[in-house]
Amino acid sequence: MSSVRSALAFDPKLELMAIGTKSGAIKVYGAPGVEFTGLHKDTTAVTQIHFLPGQGRLMSLLDDNTIHLWELVVGTRSLNTHRFTLHTLLLLLLSATRVTVLLLLRSCDLLCIGTEGGGVYFLELPRLSLKDDQTLLQDQVTQSLPDDYRCGKSLGPVESLQEHPQQSGKVLIGYSRGLVVLWDLSSRQVEQLFLGKQQLESLVWERSGNLFVSSHNDGGYSMWPVTSGNPNIHQPASSTIPYGPFPCKAINKILWRTTQTGSPVLLYSGGMPRASYGDRHCLTIQQDKDHVTLDFTSRVIDFFTVHSTEQDKEFDDPTALVVLLEEELVVIDLQTPGWPSLPTPYLAPLHSSAITCSCHISNVPPKLWERLINAGKAQQGRQQTWPICGGKNLAPPAKQQELLLTGHEDGTVRFWDASGVALTPLYKLSTANVFHTDCDPSDDPQDPSDDPDMQQEEEWPPFRKVGCFDPYSDDPRLGIQKISLCKYSNKLVVTGTAGQVIILGLNDERSDHLVDVSVVDLLQDREGFTWKGHDRLEPRLKPAPFPPGFQPLVLVQCLPPASVTAVALHAEWNLIAFGTSHGFGLFDYHRRNAVCTLHPNDSLAMEGPLSRVKSLKKSLRQSFRRIRKSRVSGKKRTITTPTTEQEEVAPVQRRIEPRSADDSLSGVVRCLCFADTYLRDGTHHGPTLWAGTNSGSVYAYALEVPGVGSGRVGERGGASESSACVEAVLGKEIQLMHRAPVVSICVLDGRGKPLPDPYEASQDLAIAPDMTNAHSVLIASEEQLKVFSLPKVSAKTKFKLTAHEGCRVRKVALVVFSSAAQEDYSEHTLVCLTNLGDMHLFNIPGLRPQVRYDCIRKEDISGIASCVFTKTGQGFYLISPSEYERFSLSAKVLTEPLCSVQLDRLLEPRPARNYTTLLTALLLLHLLDGSSTQPQANGTHKNQMGQAEGMCEYTLTLFPSPNLLSLFSL
């Protein structure tokens, strides 16, 4: 599903904005939290949208030549709240010729339809009947033309229809050839002809109606006086090609807005010099001597101004310019000198740089939330009022604050407020300034090329880069791969494509400092290995400026500089673990030293009890030697594993196909996990690290963390302990029989519950784990779920998901489901997303299947890969590169629009009349009558103003013919 924008409209009375997409969706937005969505039956691009001002209705024109009338319809709900619904009441198809432009008269009783054949048709609203006596064909206009202008040529398609701003019923009709006709609907006569000779693109009236402006395909625009007594105007009052004299591209649309200062504001898209800037996507704003060319990174679809529309007002006085681009929405403040951009509370481009990973943080502490808000405000500068402010948000305040973090290809991490319906941008973190990159500015302070003022004075047109959509990355090595945030200690870890692991801390002040760099060789100078991939990023060797927010403390550079595939953070122990396709490492960022590294294929031969295992470094060297010998001899090494079961497979499960051990990706580390549990024996618990690989191997390490001993988690020692080093010893190794990639590892306490996050238990933010009963570890591979007892690591229970059609586990999460009926009751549940797009829910630790949901289309590979779960049973996945779909598996935790709009009409739909077939009338009664057996989607319609949220759709398709409107489909 593509969400690329394709149409735009604005209702100045309701202050609502509508956006159409290439996939056939219509989305209506008002104030933050006010949002409605409608979907056309077919996934056809929406090419035009027009509001019926104040009525909550709009017309849409699709690329398949159909016209749809949408309506906000009220329905009752409990607690006296109501629901607006977008209904399609009509699809009108002009089969004879293609529709090029629509004009809805201010009276909202007549729709003018311009066509490719040059005809103009008129549709009466709301009866939806074609007014044959008003149809204006091109031949009728041609008869009124002077002989020297006819030349036997066609006038071309109708390019623009504009109603006179002061005199209702008079319409400007612009034809592609350049002719503009002022047509009087009441007398059905040509009142004035404007004999343009340049190909026409668009028209706009000046507010008084004494002149209009036309734009043309040569990159120019003309001003035409409208005076009585002269039926034929041969020449415009003035013509200008602003970016000439060399050939320019067409000005696709132009607006003229008057102001009290006396100088009008002129806004137009296109017009760039073909040879120099023909590939630029631009929109120009001019007022007197002020001139700026907004330079965008995607195509301009449409734009409008927020201005005064009352008839008794003398001036337009525009306050904001709203520009819809293919990939983003940009709003310009026209009241502030310099015309700055406004930050958007919604519709911010998620894909400003391609999304590479995501992470959800629930129940964010208020202090952290406040500090992120302040850091974001420092980036955005002065806050302005959002100009699209229609409707009222009825949603109650969020019970908890939620963050969605997205990592991007350009090395940025963006923080989004995910507490409500819309994703609102809070703060952006860039990691590029940790490194030297090709996009670094010149180090010479005297270099004039770095002075933006100098550039603006010398450059023509006066370009200004606007918007944040940037599909190109200056260096793909900057791409973010994994994110981990500790919301209690404010420590953040981000990892990248070139093996970089960055530990950051939150600082409310700007800082200039040097980032500590540690290099970790995951292969430990292995003999005979040559890295053939990209080079590592070069870290800055001088102090760099870092704005308020998360600032880098330590850079850990993995060698070889392969992409980081897994990361884990334990802020209470000051440890991070990271993995690549060449192994994994453990790093103490408090003492700035690497604890250990291990290549997944170089596992230790576990002989005897744990106490006989020597130090890790010595054991690793011995292991490497044994590995080389075994590879030369071709013999397979035996690994201590739990007993592999060969019991009969249950009917609900499927047999697993074993995988080859020679998989080239077998060394990829898929997941990492810290846990305070029992690994050495059943009486002493302590810090552990678990790692799972692509070949079905799981490694468990016992960690010696100074100040953290058995039963003393969170306690810190004195000065002697501060100089001690963290140690790691391999305690257990598990090899899954079918070598399926390990997706997730989670340690469960004595009650079968997941262990709390770091600091949660020690600061009484969560129930302390049960350390009196035996622990267990839940290991999820792509093919099965399995629970092992600890510390013996013996299999307790399992469930095989692999189906004959190729079902594979893609995402796993442990979720807390709270009861909607009983406030104090909740359950921990394992949620699995498969490559077929369905969700499987299992209880833990018994792994009994509970329910299955179809969620994502199995063909949507990127959607499945991007899915991220929340801890409360919701989830996000990308339905396009620029749009997240939010879903909920919980009956209690729902996020949905709750909003209202005050309309200038009765809310009961009015059935169409004057149809000539009895079948049509009966079907309309069945569809719209409240007493029919057709169920109302959202309750009973009422003859009153109303407020609500939600959506549903009625569809009717009609083909017009000279004598009859017949029903096509319902």
Side-chain angles (χ1 to χ4, degrees), residues 719-749:
S720 61
E721 289 181 347
S722 64
S723 60
C725 295
V726 177
E727 296 181 3
V729 178
L730 182 60
K732 293 290 188 293
E733 181 179 352
I734 306 170
Q735 176 62 62
L736 301 181
M737 183 178 65
H738 297 282
R739 310 186 68 85
V742 179
V743 177
S744 173
I745 302 172
C746 179
V747 175
L748 309 177
D749 70 2

Side-chain angles (χ1 to χ4, degrees), residues 265-447:
V265 179
L266 188 64
L267 310 100
Y268 53 88
S269 60
M272 290 294 101
R274 286 185 178 273
S276 304
Y277 305 110
D279 59 342
R280 298 284 187 101
H281 308 292
C282 296
L283 189 150
T284 299
I285 309 176
Q286 290 180 240
Q287 185 180 26
D288 200 10
K289 294 182 180 180
D290 294 326
H291 187 138
V292 65
T293 305
L294 306 179
D295 188 10
F296 305 108
T297 54
S298 60
R299 186 169 63 92
V300 178
I301 300 298
D302 203 354
F303 57 95
F304 64 82
T305 58
V306 180
H307 62 276
S308 173
T309 58
E310 290 83 359
Q311 289 292 107
D312 58 344
K313 299 291 185 180
E314 185 178 354
F315 300 101
D316 296 312
D317 288 327
T319 59
L321 166 67
V322 180
V323 187
L324 180 70
L325 308 167
E326 263 191 342
E327 303 293 347
E328 64 180 316
L329 183 81
V330 173
V331 179
I332 305 296
D333 181 5
L334 296 179
Q335 291 181 305
T336 303
W339 301 321
S341 301
L342 291 179
T344 56
Y346 49 75
L347 288 176
L350 291 163
H351 64 320
S352 51
S353 174
I355 296 176
T356 50
C357 65
S358 59
C359 171
H360 183 272
I361 309 296
S362 60
N363 201 13
V364 179
K367 184 60 177 177
L368 172 59
W369 187 263
E370 180 184 354
R371 296 175 72 181
L372 288 174
I373 294 290
N374 293 334
K377 287 181 178 179
Q379 292 178 335
Q380 296 173 352
R382 191 164 60 120
Q383 301 296 305
Q384 297 290 335
T385 302
W386 181 244
I388 315 297
C389 53
K392 184 178 180 181
N393 183 13
L394 302 179
K399 294 181 179 179
Q400 63 177 26
Q401 306 296 342
E402 299 184 25
L403 279 174
L404 181 68
L405 279 61
T406 54
H408 298 264
E409 190 179 35
D410 62 356
T412 59
V413 177
R414 286 170 166 81
F415 291 66
W416 306 86
D417 180 359
S419 312
V421 174
L423 285 179
T424 304
L426 293 181
Y427 160 69
K428 182 177 78 170
L429 164 68
S430 176
T431 63
N433 53 354
V434 179
F435 308 97
H436 284 293
T437 60
D438 296 337
C439 57
D440 286 343
S442 171
D443 292 331
D444 183 6
Q446 304 298 323
D447 188 354

Side-chain angles (χ1 to χ4, degrees), residues 580-581 600-601 661-670 693-696 741:
T580 72
S581 56
N601 288 338
D662 299 327
D663 187 355
S664 61
L665 297 177
S666 62
V668 176
V669 177
R670 291 287 293 268
T693 72
N694 217 52
S695 60

